[in-house]
Amino acid sequence: MDALTLLHERSSMGKLMAPAPSAEQLNAIYQAALRAPDHKELRPWRFIEFSGEGRERLGELFAEAEFQEDPGSDDATLDAARKKPLRAPMVIAVIAKVTPELEKVPKMEQVISAGCAAHGILLAAHALGLGAMWRSGKYAFDPVVRKGLSLEEDDEVVAFIYLGTLGGRHKPVPQHDVADFVERWN
């Protein structure tokens, strides 16, 4: 698949099943992530891989976050939180490992760089014939989850990327009119 086709056809896949990516596929995926734009070569990325029981541990962390937010949460709400990481055989948390107070590389730029690394993961997964879904939601910003993932004060969860084998049909990729998004100053 050539690069433009990959960029034009990549789409999120919500239904993912086993098997998870192989070690060889994961190496290719991470190598793609590590090519993200990176001012000053800070490499402001950290990846936490959850598979097997690790997904259950992440689910417990989500349930704890839910309970801390609302101690009156019912069992169904807590169980739903626990099951979120089980929607795919693997989840990768993409963390912006921010070096604070750099005059020439502000925090926002470091977070965007980590976002580009996350996008690299999505593109590489698609190129390898895998399915991937970028998720964030409230758990990415929750203090219980942040603590459980050992984030520093300035670090950010950029994405929880769900990875696996495609478990359904591809939905059509929407076509967009470039003119709706581009302003030209000639």
Side-chain angles (χ1 to χ4, degrees), residues 2-133:
D2 68 53
L4 281 177
T5 300
L6 172 64
L7 290 165
H8 291 173
E9 292 182 359
R10 191 222 59 86
S11 66
S12 294
M13 296 293 159
K15 187 164 181 155
L16 302 168
M17 57 188 204
S22 68
E24 182 178 293
Q25 289 171 319
L26 283 170
N27 185 58
I29 286 167
Y30 288 127
Q31 288 297 327
L34 297 176
R35 296 303 306 151
D38 175 19
H39 190 183
K40 292 277 199 197
E41 297 182 2
L42 294 175
R43 293 174 189 84
W45 321 294
R46 176 174 159 225
F47 308 107
I48 306 172
E49 196 176 285
F50 303 92
S51 60
E53 291 181 12
R55 295 172 309 140
E56 292 170 13
R57 288 177 47 208
L58 181 60
E60 289 299 328
L61 193 56
F62 288 175
E64 178 63 24
E66 224 29 86
F67 181 77
Q68 291 299 323
E69 181 182 324
D70 178 10
S73 295
D74 61 18
D75 288 343
T77 300
L78 298 177
D79 284 342
R82 282 184 188 97
K83 290 178 183 173
K84 288 185 185 300
L86 304 179
R87 295 184 281 193
M90 179 175 283
V91 178
I92 298 174
V94 179
I95 311 298
K97 188 79 182 137
V98 175
T99 303
E101 301 177 18
L102 285 178
E103 185 177 318
K104 293 192 177 193
V105 189
K107 178 178 180 173
M108 175 186 253
E109 188 174 327
Q110 295 176 58
V111 172
I112 290 169
S113 181
C116 290
H119 192 231
I121 290 171
L122 295 176
L123 291 172
H126 184 77
L128 292 168
L130 299 167
M133 172 72 87

